[in-house]
Structure formats: structure tokens, C-alpha cells
Amino acid sequence: DYENPQTIKKIVNEYTKYYARTDETHDKTEFEKLDESKRISGKGIEVGQIFYFGTKYSEMMNAKVTLSDGTNVPVEMGSHGIGVSRLVGAIIEASHDEKGIIWPTNVSPYDIGIVNLKQSDDKTNELCEKLYRTLSIMGFEVLYDDREERAGVKFNTMDLIGIPSHIIVGPRGALLEKVELKDRKSGKSVEYGLEEALSKLKTLREK
């Protein structure tokens, strides 16, 4: 009988009867009352909250609802919310390695990172810029690393940022219109011709 306030309270009590606390509110005495086999501690991050208010505020506001039998009773109230800013930290905590972040594709700030291995080479620059324009037109969010830095520094930066797919362009590949595709999660790199690489990326997007 979900119209009965006591039923609602019983449901809430059932789900909140278990001992669960963060470090700030941890009660050692209460915790030690539990059977050792039921004690679990671990890392976590709070991204949302649910509060049951009962009729505390609805009675004050005279907010009532009519039941099927015609009686008026105070509304059972509650609230819930998700801390959007906390989700970023939670995602990173759940998806990272020793090199940095590994963004899931559906929440990554960029879809693809372009790494220019030799900024002083005209052919390499030309191909990188062509890729940037083409991928942007295709609807990808692209980050192009055109800094005057060593290749290792650029690789480390892309891994740290955690963009799901990397396109690596060097002088040798630029002459042949070939690029290297690297998957951030697996770390695997494969060389493709330009059109094949674009087709692969389009397929990944469609998934």
C-alpha cells in the first residue's frame, strides 16, 4: 500500500539500515558492533545524495494529496541530486593508468589528438592541418599538438590528457600520406593510409 506513509517510511528504513559512513562521519564503536565478515572498507567518491523528508515540510506548507478513499494527507517529500562537478573526479578515479587519464569516449573533452612529430617539416605540417580540418568537418572534437617539442613530450602529454584516439604524423608518413592511429586505452598503434585512417575513425564514432 504505497498510499500509506508508514509503508513509505518502512521502505526508506529498510534501505538505510545498513552502516555506511565516510571518514568524516565514521563511528568506530558502531562499526565494531558489526560481525567482522560484514565489515568492508574501501575508496569511493560521493557523486549524488538522496534525502527522505517525510512530511516535515509539507505539513508546514499545508501541502496535501487526496488518496483514493478521499482523505487528504500531507505529501511525502524527498530530494535527490548529482554533483556534476564531482563526476569528473569520479570518472578519472575509475579510468586511469600510470600515464594519466583514460577518458571514456562518450565523455572525453576531445575525440582525437593529432601529434605532429616534426613541426619544422612542411609536408608534416600540411598533412596535420589537412587532418584537423577534415576531422572537424566530420564532427570530431580535435586537439592538435603543434608545439615545438620533442616527440616524447608530445606523446606523454596526449597520454596524460587521456584523449581516446591519437593520430601520429611524421615526415616519412607525410610523404606517403600515411598516419599512425593509437588507441589510448590499449596503447596499440597501427599505420594506415590517410583515407583508411579516416574510415576507421568514422567507424569508431558510429559505435
Side-chain angles (χ1 to χ4, degrees):
D1 180 7
Y2 285 91
E3 290 185 342
N4 186 337
Q6 292 306 312
T7 302
I8 297 172
K9 188 172 183 180
K10 184 180 178 183
I11 293 169
V12 173
N13 289 343
E14 178 66 23
Y15 279 97
T16 57
K17 69 181 180 181
Y18 304 101
Y19 179 86
R21 295 288 185 274
T22 59
D23 284 344
E24 295 81 7
T25 60
H26 178 64
D27 186 327
K28 187 177 179 182
T29 304
E30 285 296 314
F31 187 66
E32 290 179 348
K33 287 180 184 177
L34 299 173
D35 185 284
E36 282 194 32
S37 64
K38 295 183 178 180
R39 298 179 195 174
I40 300 172
S41 65
K43 289 185 177 181
I45 182 169
E46 181 187 275
V47 296
Q49 292 180 325
I50 298 174
F51 295 104
Y52 173 59
F53 300 142
T55 60
K56 179 179 178 180
Y57 299 108
S58 57
E59 287 177 354
M60 293 166 56
M61 297 184 290
N62 198 31
K64 296 182 178 181
V65 63
T66 303
L67 303 183
S68 57
D69 63 2
T71 52
N72 293 323
V73 296
V75 176
E76 295 284 327
M77 296 178 67
S79 73
H80 68 275
I82 293 176
V84 177
S85 60
R86 293 188 183 190
L87 289 175
V88 175
I91 291 168
I92 294 171
E93 181 69 27
S95 185
H96 71 278
D97 60 16
E98 68 280 357
K99 295 178 181 178
I101 305 167
I102 303 174
W103 284 111
T105 54
N106 57 342
V107 294
S108 177
Y110 294 97
D111 302 305
I112 300 166
I114 299 175
V115 178
N116 186 328
L117 295 183
K118 195 168 184 180
Q119 206 65 42
S120 59
D121 183 76
D122 291 340
K123 281 284 184 183
T124 307
N125 291 343
E126 186 181 318
L127 183 53
C128 285
E129 287 163 11
K130 179 180 179 180
L131 278 165
Y132 182 84
R133 290 192 302 270
T134 303
L135 290 166
S136 296
I137 290 168
M138 289 170 67
F140 290 103
E141 290 289 339
V142 186
L143 179 65
Y144 174 25
D145 190 343
D146 59 354
R147 296 175 298 165
E148 294 284 353
E149 287 283 5
R150 290 177 290 107
V153 173
K154 293 187 175 186
F155 290 147
N156 289 339
T157 299
M158 282 294 174
D159 283 342
L160 179 65
I161 294 171
I163 299 171
S165 297
H166 306 168
I167 300 182
I168 301 160
V169 185
R172 182 188 64 81
L175 285 172
L176 303 171
E177 284 224 325
K178 288 189 174 183
V179 298
E180 200 175 321
L181 289 188
K182 177 186 171 184
D183 178 73
R184 171 64 181 92
K185 189 173 184 179
S186 68
K188 291 181 180 178
S189 296
V190 181
E191 188 176 66
Y192 296 103
L194 182 59
E195 292 306 317
E196 190 179 4
L198 292 172
S199 178
K200 289 280 183 186
L201 291 168
K202 185 180 179 183
T203 302
L204 286 174
R205 184 183 182 86
E206 289 169 352
K207 287 181 181 179

